[in-house]
Amino acid sequence: MENIREYLTDLCAKAKAAQAKLALASDEMRNNALEAIAEAIVERADCIIEANRRDIDEAEKNGISRAMCDRLMLNEERIEKLAASVRKLKAIDDPLNKSESWTRPNGLVIERVSVPLGNVGVIYEARPNVTVDVAAICIKSGNAAILRGGKEAYNTNLALEDVLRAALEDAGLDKELVSLVHDTSREGSNTLMRLNGYIDVLIPRGGKGLISAVVENASVPVIETGAGNCHIYVDKDADFDKALNILVNAKVSRPSVCNAAEKLIVHASVAEKFLPLAAQALGKHNVELRGDEHACKIISTTPAGEDDLTREYNDYIMSIYVVDGIKEAIEHINAYSTGHSEAIITEDASAAEEFLNKINSAAVYHNASTRFTDGEEFGFGAEIGISTQKLHARGPFALEALTSIKYKIHGNGHIR
Amino acid sequence: MENIREYLTDLCAKAKAAQAKLALASDEMRNNALEAIAEAIVERADCIIEANRRDIDEAEKNGISRAMCDRLMLNEERIEKLAASVRKLKAIDDPLNKSESWTRPNGLVIERVSVPLGNVGVIYEARPNVTVDVAAICIKSGNAAILRGGKEAYNTNLALEDVLRAALEDAGLDKELVSLVHDTSREGSNTLMRLNGYIDVLIPRGGKGLISAVVENASVPVIETGAGNCHIYVDKDADFDKALNILVNAKVSRPSVCNAAEKLIVHASVAEKFLPLAAQALGKHNVELRGDEHACKIISTTPAGEDDLTREYNDYIMSIYVVDGIKEAIEHINAYSTGHSEAIITEDASAAEEFLNKINSAAVYHNASTRFTDGEEFGFGAEIGISTQKLHARGPFALEALTSIKYKIHGNGHIR
């Protein structure tokens, strides 16, 4: 694209104008648009799947991994599921126009009301379902969606953009509310990251490389999501049955997700008994273990390297560290964790309290699997992601995180 | 400084270790430290004033403006006031450990609790009172303060750091909770802006140049504060008495602050009657007026230039624009405002509602002065600043904005 900055500011300005109108639309109107989107993607599934087929062919030609092709692939079943998740949003409480007001001693009435953020940018990779998810979440919360998907899904995303925009118009809304960035160059995404005044929040959805590129380069406000180097700490007073169940669940129930456990920390006084049991339990699921020096003396594993401390494997791999006590466990986790989710397994209530108080992560568990860090599991409904930063949103975040507040003040000639 | 990055990471790591302990300290302990700080700055006022004298001498030698010297100057009265504002924080509700909890159908108990952000960085200019204010606000909210003050106040800040750190130790806390960056180079502040993992939030306090440098360059999370290009819109149905009172109050009661009005927008149908009255009222206070073409036809003023549209004068200057109606007024304001505070003066309730709904600023007033955008005036108590961004904090923000949340989850062997 010749002038990428011009292209993007134009696209964002159109989105902003459309968003200003959407901000004043009723919840019913926004829900009608969601219904129109759900219907349209199912009705036009054929042309979406055809476009997707072209992306898959290209990906296969380029020798892209099977896992990546699977993330990229849309079929009728997946489109039906997408439509269902869009419809689910309709039932959720309107996040907008929540207000409280109070009167000051001088008679000024101050009203605090929830309003949309404005233009929500999302940079993501090969998963085209993100295109629909984000568009729907943005419409529900009165925001415009600026979608910068990966080049692998370009044809699919183009088809989806068409369908989404037509559905918006059918529902009486402006098509500019959902815009796909028709440029998948790195320059394009770098420009997007620095469009202050045009992008109100930018959310990266993808792997560690993408997330840190956005955090490093963006000058627009960012919500950092997803990277999860999660730890399970087995204390000296752990119930081994609970510990083994939780360990296996946290590691193998879905290794590719961010709330899966990556590291096992074991108290030295139980390491000799516990580690062989852990190795056996994880071995049944073909988990590759890597141990620190102490762990390697107890069970036969590959030695863990320096980079294992911080790696998020997203795979059937787990590294193991033996510590002298809870203090060392907490220090280890606070030093190497991504601040996502950690768990202590213990029957000692005071050790649990210490762990829950001192661990500096979004979600800290006592005798439960880290896999519960999830909007639905917490009772929040549809989540946008898991924030690992402390500002604005932390942990599973939902529609509310796509709103800001505004003060409306009513006077009668008041001066200060 | 030879290796500024090493120096800063070391300073921040020490602060973080101290902050981890402060996060667990009781409100009483934190309040005791505030009392110790208030006492210490008054007791050691002499040496603070002596250090300040050296900064003032240097500033005068360098021909720095009187306004700047005034911002820089500390005397006994100002130090007493500072101590009083530190003591005032003690009475404010503890922002930490506010919690709510709920039980999920599977029996998991999820507790959501307010926790400190961690290391709070503040980059500011010549005002040494910021050093004490920020330190006290951070201690109250369980955070460590990383203070990067301007070189003009270096000696004063060094003296204050000494006093603050000694007071912390007297109160049984770690002196590393308050750290002045002993480097006032641009390289130093640029490095601080990119210390992800060491700075949890960065707040610029100062002029537009400082704020935009931080927003442009920071990779750590930022709260953008303070810039206020505030507008007063006089509608066709305005009560002229209210309009004139509010206009004069908003412009001249304190022109140097961010909630002062900078622009007057007038509906064309009342411009001929209202503008001469406005010019007379503002003229009494020696306000320099600059008008658009239409305004210049009605009253004799300097023509406003292109850059007047966006300028925050912070001075006895106001520019005037005549619009064809409320729609144009709203478009003008949303295009050129910094998103701080705007007001409509009208007796037409539906025009007021339209303005309050469509203006995209933190605080929007009906028949009241923009000067009310202030933590105390809103009833929030001590404010940290006025946020003009939409993420995390918007409008006047107080201690709560220096906290995040954390989920503590209690299970009994729960797996997903």
Side-chain angles (χ1 to χ4, degrees):
Chain A
M1 206 157 282
E2 256 189 41
N3 191 329
I4 180 71
R5 201 188 146 82
E6 213 170 277
Y7 163 72
L8 284 172
T9 52
D10 180 59
L11 179 152
C12 289
K14 282 180 186 153
K16 200 137 221 176
Q19 188 275 326
K21 283 179 273 167
L22 182 67
L24 305 175
S26 66
D27 189 35
E28 195 193 342
M29 189 128 188
R30 285 174 271 130
N31 281 341
N32 289 346
L34 295 183
E35 181 59 36
I37 287 174
E39 281 171 19
I41 58 175
V42 173
E43 254 170 42
R44 296 186 55 193
D46 284 356
C47 81
I48 297 168
I49 292 170
E50 194 230 276
N52 185 249
R53 193 64 244 170
R54 278 182 282 142
D55 283 329
I56 299 269
D57 287 348
E58 186 69 21
E60 282 171 348
K61 220 189 294 170
N62 294 332
I64 276 166
S65 74
R66 250 183 59 198
M68 168 86 109
C69 280
D70 183 61
R71 284 201 287 277
L72 179 54
M73 195 265 287
L74 283 183
N75 54 26
E76 274 193 43
E77 192 196 333
R78 287 185 178 185
I79 288 175
E80 291 279 1
K81 269 196 187 160
L82 258 177
S85 78
V86 171
R87 282 200 177 94
K88 224 168 153 184
L89 281 172
K90 288 167 57 186
I92 296 180
D93 262 5
D94 187 4
L96 300 182
N97 303 310
K98 292 191 171 173
S99 83
E100 49 170 340
S101 69
W102 59 97
T103 305
R104 297 289 302 153
N106 61 7
L108 268 188
V109 179
I110 301 182
E111 187 190 352
R112 179 186 157 111
V113 55
S114 63
V115 296
L117 284 175
N119 278 353
V120 174
V122 178
I123 301 187
Y124 51 111
E125 297 174 330
R127 293 171 56 177
N129 58 316
V130 173
T131 309
V132 178
D133 272 345
V134 170
I137 284 171
C138 284
I139 297 300
K140 174 77 184 184
S141 54
N143 293 291
I146 313 293
L147 302 158
R148 200 286 194 184
K151 64 176 186 305
E152 299 80 6
Y154 188 62
N155 291 303
T156 316
N157 284 337
L158 269 184
L160 285 171
E161 188 196 30
D162 255 11
V163 174
L164 292 169
R165 286 181 153 223
L168 287 171
E169 290 195 317
D170 284 348
L173 296 180
D174 193 323
K175 68 178 196 300
E176 306 289 347
L177 289 169
V178 173
S179 303
L180 181 74
V181 176
H182 291 196
D183 174 300
T184 56
S185 69
R186 179 156 302 193
E187 192 199 347
S189 78
N190 284 339
T191 305
L192 193 66
M193 294 178 204
R194 305 190 68 80
L195 278 194
N196 294 67
Y198 292 93
I199 294 286
D200 294 289
V201 64
L202 185 62
I203 306 173
R205 280 180 65 161
K208 202 177 158 183
L210 170 66
I211 293 168
S212 55
V214 171
V215 169
E216 277 295 305
N217 297 321
S219 56
V220 301
V222 166
I223 299 179
E224 192 176 343
T225 63
N229 180 21
C230 304
H231 297 73
I232 305 277
Y233 167 58
V234 176
D235 190 41
K236 69 174 168 31
D237 295 312
D239 173 320
F240 279 11
D241 285 339
K242 288 181 191 167
L244 291 168
N245 268 331
I246 290 171
L247 181 65
V248 169
N249 178 264
K251 180 67 254 181
V252 308
S253 61
R254 212 171 153 200
S256 64
V257 292
C258 60
N259 57 21
E262 305 289 12
K263 307 295 149 69
L264 167 63
I265 314 280
V266 182
H267 193 293
S269 70
V270 296
E272 283 200 48
K273 274 194 185 158
F274 184 74
L275 282 183
L277 299 172
Q280 192 185 22
L282 293 167
K284 278 188 195 152
H285 298 273
N286 300 314
V287 176
E288 178 196 330
L289 300 179
R290 302 175 183 178
D292 69 359
E293 209 177 321
H294 194 147
C296 287
K297 280 182 191 154
I298 302 171
I299 51 171
S300 75
T301 66
T302 326
E306 187 66 25
D307 71 325
D308 282 296
L309 286 163
T310 52
R311 270 189 64 189
E312 185 183 6
Y313 304 116
N314 284 332
D315 203 346
Y316 290 85
I317 305 173
M318 182 165 233
S319 50
I320 302 174
Y321 303 87
V322 179
V323 294
D324 280 338
I326 188 169
K327 188 167 175 284
E328 194 185 331
I330 291 168
E331 283 169 2
H332 180 108
I333 295 171
N334 281 340
Y336 300 112
S337 153
T338 52
H340 192 296
S341 302
E342 335 289 342
I344 182 172
I345 318 299
T346 188
E347 298 302 302
D348 175 355
S350 74
E353 201 190 333
E354 184 179 356
F355 190 87
L356 267 58
N357 283 336
K358 293 187 177 171
I359 287 289
N360 195 10
S361 295
V364 196
Y365 292 84
H366 174 209
N367 287 345
S369 169
T370 53
R371 291 275 292 108
F372 286 104
T373 304
D374 172 272
E376 297 276 357
E377 293 293 335
F378 275 27
F380 299 160
E383 76 171 31
I384 298 155
I386 311 290
S387 163
T388 54
Q389 72 181 29
K390 290 185 192 162
L391 228 61
H392 190 69
R394 194 182 197 200
F397 66 102
L399 288 167
E400 208 191 30
L402 292 189
T403 68
S404 180
I405 51 154
K406 171 170 164 179
Y407 293 96
K408 298 179 179 178
I409 303 105
H410 308 269
N412 183 27
H414 283 71
I415 59 171
R416 184 176 170 192
Chain B
M1 207 157 280
E2 259 192 38
N3 191 328
I4 180 70
R5 198 186 150 82
E6 213 170 275
Y7 163 72
L8 285 171
T9 52
D10 180 58
L11 179 153
C12 289
K14 282 179 185 153
K16 200 138 220 177
Q19 187 275 325
K21 283 180 273 169
L22 183 67
L24 306 174
S26 65
D27 188 37
E28 195 193 344
M29 190 129 188
R30 284 174 272 129
N31 281 341
N32 289 344
L34 296 183
E35 181 58 36
I37 287 174
E39 282 171 19
I41 59 175
V42 173
E43 253 171 42
R44 297 186 56 192
D46 284 356
C47 80
I48 296 167
I49 292 170
E50 195 230 275
N52 186 249
R53 194 63 245 167
R54 277 181 282 145
D55 284 330
I56 299 269
D57 287 348
E58 186 68 20
E60 282 171 347
K61 220 188 297 169
N62 295 332
I64 276 166
S65 76
R66 250 183 59 197
M68 167 87 108
C69 279
D70 183 62
R71 284 201 285 277
L72 180 54
M73 197 265 287
L74 283 183
N75 55 24
E76 273 191 44
E77 193 196 332
R78 287 184 176 185
I79 289 174
E80 292 279 0
K81 269 195 186 161
L82 257 178
S85 76
V86 171
R87 282 201 178 93
K88 223 168 154 185
L89 282 173
K90 289 166 58 186
I92 296 179
D93 262 4
D94 186 5
L96 300 182
N97 302 309
K98 292 190 171 173
S99 82
E100 50 171 338
S101 69
W102 59 96
T103 304
R104 296 290 300 153
N106 61 8
L108 268 189
V109 179
I110 300 183
E111 188 189 351
R112 179 187 158 112
V113 55
S114 64
V115 297
L117 284 175
N119 279 354
V120 175
V122 180
I123 301 187
Y124 51 112
E125 297 175 330
R127 294 171 56 177
N129 58 318
V130 174
T131 309
V132 177
D133 271 346
V134 170
I137 284 170
C138 284
I139 297 299
K140 175 76 184 185
S141 53
N143 294 290
I146 313 293
L147 301 158
R148 200 286 195 182
K151 64 175 186 305
E152 299 80 6
Y154 188 61
N155 291 302
T156 316
N157 285 337
L158 269 184
L160 286 171
E161 187 195 31
D162 255 11
V163 174
L164 292 168
R165 286 181 154 223
L168 287 171
E169 289 196 316
D170 284 349
L173 295 180
D174 193 324
K175 68 178 195 303
E176 306 289 347
L177 290 169
V178 173
S179 302
L180 181 73
V181 176
H182 291 197
D183 174 300
T184 55
S185 68
R186 179 156 301 195
E187 192 200 347
S189 79
N190 283 339
T191 307
L192 194 65
M193 294 178 205
R194 305 191 67 81
L195 277 194
N196 294 67
Y198 291 93
I199 295 286
D200 294 289
V201 64
L202 186 62
I203 306 173
R205 280 181 63 162
K208 202 177 159 187
L210 170 66
I211 292 168
S212 55
V214 170
V215 169
E216 276 294 307
N217 297 319
S219 56
V220 302
V222 166
I223 299 179
E224 194 175 343
T225 64
N229 179 23
C230 303
H231 297 73
I232 306 276
Y233 167 59
V234 176
D235 189 41
K236 68 174 168 32
D237 297 312
D239 173 319
F240 279 11
D241 285 339
K242 287 181 192 168
L244 291 168
N245 269 332
I246 289 170
L247 181 64
V248 170
N249 177 264
K251 179 68 255 179
V252 309
S253 60
R254 211 171 155 200
S256 65
V257 292
C258 60
N259 57 22
E262 305 288 11
K263 307 294 149 70
L264 167 63
I265 315 280
V266 182
H267 193 293
S269 69
V270 296
E272 283 199 50
K273 275 196 186 157
F274 184 73
L275 282 183
L277 299 172
Q280 191 184 20
L282 292 167
K284 279 189 195 152
H285 298 273
N286 301 312
V287 176
E288 177 195 333
L289 300 180
R290 302 176 184 178
D292 69 0
E293 209 177 320
H294 193 149
C296 287
K297 280 182 191 153
I298 301 170
I299 51 172
S300 77
T301 66
T302 327
E306 185 67 25
D307 69 327
D308 282 296
L309 286 163
T310 52
R311 270 189 65 188
E312 184 182 6
Y313 304 116
N314 285 330
D315 205 344
Y316 291 83
I317 305 172
M318 184 165 230
S319 50
I320 302 174
Y321 303 87
V322 179
V323 294
D324 280 337
I326 189 169
K327 188 167 175 283
E328 193 186 334
I330 291 169
E331 282 170 3
H332 180 110
I333 295 171
N334 282 341
Y336 299 113
S337 153
T338 52
H340 192 296
S341 301
E342 336 289 341
I344 181 172
I345 318 297
T346 188
E347 298 301 303
D348 174 355
S350 75
E353 200 189 334
E354 184 179 357
F355 190 86
L356 267 58
N357 282 337
K358 292 187 178 171
I359 287 289
N360 193 11
S361 294
V364 197
Y365 293 83
H366 174 210
N367 287 346
S369 170
T370 54
R371 290 276 291 108
F372 286 105
T373 304
D374 172 272
E376 297 277 356
E377 293 294 334
F378 274 29
F380 300 160
E383 77 172 29
I384 298 156
I386 312 290
S387 163
T388 53
Q389 72 180 30
K390 291 187 190 159
L391 227 61
H392 190 70
R394 195 182 196 199
F397 66 102
L399 288 167
E400 209 191 29
L402 292 188
T403 68
S404 180
I405 51 153
K406 171 172 162 177
Y407 293 97
K408 298 179 178 177
I409 303 104
H410 307 269
N412 184 26
H414 282 71
I415 59 172
R416 183 177 171 192

